[in-house]
Amino acid sequence: MRYLANVTTLEYDVEKCTGCGRCVEVCPHGVFVMEEKRARITDRDRCMECGACSLNCEYGAISVDSGVGCAAAIITGMLTGGEPVCGCDGGGSSSSCC
Ligand code: SF4
Ligand code: SF4
């Protein structure tokens, strides 16, 4: 699944990558692949900003503001045709996505 185009905060510094492969293992959306002993991003728009890759990269090669994308809200917005609303600001929404 792809999310909104060009909005993910995912950043990757190939110079810091040691090729350990953890990001490939933990990413639920296959955003990373290994190529020539380094990670490579296949499609940034598949990133739902869960933060797993950044948390598991011991070499600081990946950063992402997990939760900023409010993936659940984006999905709901796509399904309903409305704007993404996450309710994470304590505004009384019963849905909590971040
Ligand atoms: S987890 Fe970090 S060091 Fe390991 S392959 Fe991914 S980007 Fe490279
Ligand atoms: S933040 Fe989550 S979905 Fe995005 S690249 Fe990292 S592991 Fe994959």
Side-chain angles (χ1 to χ4, degrees), residues 13-97:
D13 184 350
V14 67
E15 297 300 322
K16 294 181 179 176
C17 177
T18 65
C20 72
R22 285 294 290 155
C23 55
V24 177
E25 294 171 6
V26 302
C27 178
H29 285 198
V31 173
F32 290 94
V33 294
M34 293 303 297
E35 195 171 273
E36 297 181 1
K37 300 181 180 178
R38 296 265 179 101
R40 179 176 68 81
I41 292 177
T42 57
D43 184 351
R44 295 178 85 251
D45 293 338
R46 293 173 62 92
C47 175
M48 65 175 193
E49 297 182 322
C50 70
C53 55
S54 179
L55 287 172
N56 283 277
C57 179
E58 298 179 8
Y59 305 95
I62 304 170
S63 68
V64 63
D65 292 335
S66 57
V68 170
C70 291
I74 292 171
I75 293 169
T76 302
M78 291 170 64
L79 293 175
T80 62
E83 290 294 316
V85 177
C86 66
C88 298
D89 58 1
S93 170
S94 60
S95 64
S96 176
C97 59

